Amino acid sequence: MIKITILSGAGISKESGIDTFRDADGFWPKYDPRELASPEALKNNTEKVLEFYNMRRQKMWKSDPNAAHLALVDLENRYDVTVITQNVDNLHERAGSTNILHLHGELDKVRSMDNSDIIVDVEKGRDINLGDLSEDGTQLRPHIVLFGEPVPRMSEAIEIAKTSDIFIVIGSSLQVYPAAEILDFIPSYSDIYIVDPEVPSVQEKDNIIFIKEKATVGLPKLVNELLSR
Ligand code: NAD
């Protein structure tokens, strides 16, 4: 079966009402989210960090998957599809995609401060506050890769990229590393499609096809074309 790998970024969820990183002002009027999404902030300002992720988790549950998330599910009828997402929302899951790798973590999970193997689901609507403890007695923290922390699933994502016949990037500025490096591992025989209203700057390659449209417009068209082959 032909293998299609998706690399999605914040832009795919934009039309579901979830702000991209660049529109970060919308997230938090007073603080720079980058400053709240750091290990230092988690250590020194735990309550604010938990509050920031509570707000984002609540926003996620008020948002629904859009036509772009749904189009990727249709693709599974004909192709072996893996979604590598930089997003921490659960819109790919709620759309119905079955094979998803979250590179930067998941908003609807939290884990022990001390043991990254103790991960628990957060029920819809629940906030995580100071004093909410993991089974090992430590404060629960967001199951999110904070700036400066290692990206544990990166090597898995690279292996998936290496075996892709078709690779589709949707709504990513490709400015966040190491995620953007995944493109370096796509075989030279694969077609690479980039769906984004603002074409991100990438190393020029003959096999890159830009679709300069919003995700909900460009992606369903591309999926229809791939399904009609
Ligand atoms: P980014 O903000 O750096 O880039 C977003 C990209 O989306 C840009 O290239 C922009 O042109 C494009 N875009 C905007 N509207 C679009 C639309 N309607 N359709 C298609 N594309 C559109 O985001 P990134 O590359 O994902 O990297 C930012 C980091 O921030 C990631 O690590 C991610 O984990 C995190 N983040 C995630 C979410 C989420 O979970 N939805 C939200 C904000 C930030």
Side-chain angles (χ1 to χ4, degrees):
M1 210 185 214
I2 293 175
K3 284 190 173 186
I4 300 189
T5 304
I6 311 297
L7 177 64
S8 68
I12 195 171
S13 297
K14 168 96 176 167
E15 291 163 86
S16 292
I18 299 178
D19 290 321
T20 64
F21 191 71
R22 286 168 173 179
D23 302 321
D25 290 0
F27 273 144
W28 199 253
K30 205 168 162 194
Y31 298 95
D32 181 342
R34 279 162 295 196
E35 285 173 18
L36 281 170
S38 68
E40 294 74 28
L42 184 65
K43 188 165 172 250
N44 303 322
N45 215 352
T46 315
E47 195 169 9
K48 280 263 174 287
V49 174
L50 294 175
E51 205 181 320
F52 174 59
Y53 284 100
N54 285 340
M55 180 192 61
R56 292 185 61 186
R57 195 179 303 109
Q58 297 286 359
K59 176 83 184 166
M60 170 185 87
W61 282 114
K62 286 189 186 124
S63 308
D64 293 314
N66 63 45
H69 299 100
L70 294 167
L72 293 178
V73 184
D74 295 339
L75 213 47
E76 293 191 14
N77 294 330
R78 270 278 303 282
Y79 297 97
D80 177 1
V81 180
T82 305
V83 178
I84 301 171
T85 186
Q86 297 168 84
N87 294 345
V88 294
D89 65 53
N90 60 8
L91 298 185
H92 285 299
E93 282 87 349
R94 283 161 59 206
S97 285
T98 57
N99 196 8
I100 305 163
L101 186 159
H102 279 274
L103 214 48
H104 294 158
E106 295 169 72
L107 275 173
D108 56 5
K109 292 187 168 58
V110 286
R111 66 173 191 253
S112 149
M113 244 350 158
D114 280 357
N115 183 346
S116 56
D117 291 333
I118 304 178
I119 303 167
V120 287
D121 292 334
V122 184
E123 311 87 78
K124 184 177 177 179
R126 181 182 167 204
D127 282 341
I128 299 298
N129 298 308
L130 218 51
D132 289 340
L133 303 182
S134 164
E135 64 182 44
D136 63 356
T138 64
Q139 173 66 45
L140 285 168
R141 60 157 280 179
H143 182 51
I144 299 282
V145 175
L146 301 174
F147 287 99
E149 289 186 326
V151 181
R153 302 198 70 185
M154 188 62 194
S155 47
E156 235 179 296
I158 287 172
E159 290 312 309
I160 294 163
K162 279 181 182 170
T163 59
S164 313
D165 300 299
I166 298 173
F167 197 95
I168 307 174
V169 181
I170 310 146
S172 176
S173 61
L174 298 174
Q175 299 300 309
V176 176
Y177 284 83
E181 282 167 13
I182 293 173
L183 266 69
D184 298 338
F185 296 90
I186 304 168
S188 55
Y189 59 78
S190 316
D191 284 336
I192 303 175
Y193 295 91
I194 298 186
V195 183
D196 199 305
E198 308 282 335
V199 173
S201 67
V202 281
Q203 196 192 342
E204 232 171 81
K205 285 182 184 165
D206 291 341
N207 53 344
I208 297 186
I209 301 134
F210 290 109
I211 300 177
K212 202 170 177 299
E213 289 194 283
K214 287 182 174 180
T216 57
V217 177
L219 194 60
K221 279 191 214 163
L222 173 60
V223 166
N224 281 338
E225 196 270 309
L226 292 169
L227 290 175
S228 67
R229 281 185 192 179

